Amino acid sequence: MIVVLRLGHRRVRDARVTTHVCLTARAFGASEVWVDAEDRELERVVEGVVSRFGGPFTIQTGVAWRKALQAFRGVKVHLTMYGLPLDEALTDVSKVARGKDVMLIVGASKVPGEVFGLADFNVAVGSHPHSEVAALAIALDRLTEGRWARTKFKGASVAVRPHPRGKDVVQLRAGKGRVAEEE
Amino acid sequence: MIVVLRLGHRRVRDARVTTHVCLTARAFGASEVWVDAEDRELERVVEGVVSRFGGPFTIQTGVAWRKALQAFRGVKVHLTMYGLPLDEALTDVSKVARGKDVMLIVGASKVPGEVFGLADFNVAVGSHPHSEVAALAIALDRLTEGRWARTKFKGASVAVRPHPRGKDVVQLRAGKGRVAEEE
């Protein structure tokens, strides 16, 4: 089980980027996302995607991050441009993670210094400033060995059928699902 | 040469996500980003990162996207959750792209329908809603076979030295560079 912990979320400023973090977590193989600040609208958006495109995937907001980090029994990996290179670190992470849950920690802007100490590993997806969304996608891709490309989600009400030139969205069952434009 | 074309940018709503798109383009091996809407502040932020962390990487905003798409002589790949699966599509893209420039097109929210026709390939990084930042990172990773992890940028004034527990930022030369917190 992989859980993503999102730190430093501010509802207005980070609304869209945190939404991207949550949906990237879901699409690339995490089964939960925990967000430090409470945000009902974010929960609604993410749960709407799970309802339409399937799960399992859950979101919790208003999570006490320090307690969550301290209580987590698996391997805690903080994604930061200051950490050790992903390719090198992954060998060590994989050794320790065997059979254990993994937490991936991603910050918005500045992360409290103590996170570097509370994490088991500080890992850089490139030592350059870019995006926690990109870092999360690449880290999940590597950790799961690209399993996202073959994942079947359960309980979806709609599905996209790959198409070379247009949009082909299939209604799978009557219910809450709406065939809407997705971001 | 890989260029990223960002469509549908709205300065206020998309400020942060488009910044992530641009920095992800740079960090994962594109050499240019073109943004449809004019946005001097975005240019300033991206050029600041290039000045501190190196290049070559250029940004243009206020790009007439339809003309740019029509005039582009290389292979145009539109990243969309409605397209053909990345792993399958990549074989065809690579055949066509041999020695040619590649344009990766990413939208913010809804993309005009004609883009599906103007692109040579419509490619899905997973047929699920997530993030154009994640899609771009994975697509660049695959297209360049992970070259980003070994790239040396030129003309940087600062560099991050990988560290297991903290931040180690090295000043490479006097100049415009500031050792500042990066996102």
Side-chain angles (χ1 to χ4, degrees):
Chain A
M1 192 269 269
I2 302 175
V3 54
V4 172
L5 175 62
R6 166 64 158 178
L7 299 181
H9 172 60
R10 290 150 301 180
R11 269 196 303 180
V12 176
R13 182 170 169 177
D14 300 319
R16 291 172 62 76
V17 175
T18 299
T19 304
H20 286 222
V21 164
C22 296
L23 297 183
T24 296
R26 172 187 170 278
F28 292 92
S31 50
E32 298 186 20
V33 65
W34 301 347
V35 179
D36 56 355
E38 185 171 306
D39 191 335
R40 296 279 175 231
E41 173 61 15
L42 177 67
E43 290 178 8
R44 199 189 59 75
V45 170
V46 172
E47 285 165 358
V49 168
V50 174
S51 158
R52 293 198 301 288
F53 288 88
F57 185 78
T58 60
I59 176 168
Q60 281 184 60
T61 72
V63 170
W65 65 265
R66 197 178 283 105
K67 275 191 193 165
L69 259 170
Q70 286 164 343
F72 190 76
R73 289 285 151 256
V75 183
K76 293 167 275 191
V77 180
H78 173 213
L79 299 178
T80 164
M81 62 180 276
Y82 301 103
L84 298 180
L86 179 66
D87 293 348
E88 288 175 29
L90 217 55
T91 315
D92 294 331
V93 172
S94 301
K95 265 183 216 158
V96 179
R98 216 171 284 269
K100 288 186 187 161
D101 292 341
V102 173
M103 174 187 279
L104 293 177
I105 305 149
V106 289
S109 64
K110 202 174 172 181
V111 164
E114 68 182 293
V115 173
F116 286 82
L118 287 168
D120 298 307
F121 297 95
N122 293 284
V123 173
V125 181
S127 301
H128 285 263
H130 51 86
S131 168
E132 59 270 31
V133 181
L136 181 60
I138 298 279
L140 282 168
D141 175 64
R142 297 298 198 270
L143 266 175
T144 66
E145 297 173 349
R147 199 178 54 215
W148 58 268
R150 303 176 299 280
T151 301
K152 300 276 178 228
F153 288 87
K154 287 173 189 159
S157 62
V158 297
V160 170
R161 262 202 299 237
H163 194 284
R165 288 278 159 212
K167 300 180 182 182
D168 185 3
V169 182
V170 195
Q171 191 79 33
L172 298 176
R173 57 174 166 78
K176 283 183 289 181
R178 280 178 305 116
V179 180
E181 290 298 321
E182 299 300 324
E183 291 196 27
Chain B
M1 191 272 267
I2 302 175
V3 54
V4 172
L5 176 63
R6 165 64 157 177
L7 298 181
H9 172 61
R10 291 149 300 180
R11 269 195 303 180
V12 176
R13 183 173 167 175
D14 301 318
R16 291 172 62 75
V17 175
T18 299
T19 304
H20 287 221
V21 165
C22 296
L23 297 183
T24 296
R26 173 187 169 278
F28 291 93
S31 51
E32 296 186 20
V33 65
W34 301 347
V35 179
D36 57 353
E38 186 171 305
D39 191 335
R40 295 278 174 231
E41 173 60 15
L42 177 68
E43 292 179 7
R44 199 189 60 74
V45 169
V46 173
E47 285 166 357
V49 168
V50 175
S51 156
R52 293 198 300 289
F53 288 87
F57 185 77
T58 60
I59 176 168
Q60 280 184 60
T61 72
V63 170
W65 65 266
R66 195 177 284 104
K67 273 192 194 166
L69 260 170
Q70 287 164 342
F72 190 76
R73 289 283 150 256
V75 183
K76 292 167 274 192
V77 180
H78 174 212
L79 299 177
T80 163
M81 62 180 276
Y82 301 102
L84 298 179
L86 179 67
D87 293 348
E88 288 174 31
L90 218 54
T91 315
D92 294 330
V93 172
S94 301
K95 265 183 217 157
V96 180
R98 217 171 285 268
K100 287 185 187 160
D101 292 341
V102 173
M103 175 188 279
L104 293 176
I105 305 149
V106 290
S109 64
K110 202 173 170 181
V111 164
E114 69 181 291
V115 173
F116 286 81
L118 287 168
D120 298 305
F121 298 95
N122 294 283
V123 173
V125 181
S127 299
H128 284 263
H130 52 84
S131 168
E132 60 269 30
V133 181
L136 181 61
I138 298 281
L140 282 168
D141 176 64
R142 297 298 197 270
L143 266 176
T144 66
E145 297 173 349
R147 198 179 53 214
W148 57 269
R150 300 175 301 279
T151 302
K152 300 277 177 227
F153 288 86
K154 286 173 190 160
S157 62
V158 297
V160 169
R161 261 201 300 236
H163 194 284
R165 287 282 159 209
K167 300 180 183 182
D168 184 3
V169 182
V170 195
Q171 191 78 34
L172 298 177
R173 57 173 167 79
K176 283 183 289 182
R178 279 179 305 115
V179 180
E181 290 300 318
E182 298 302 322
E183 291 197 30

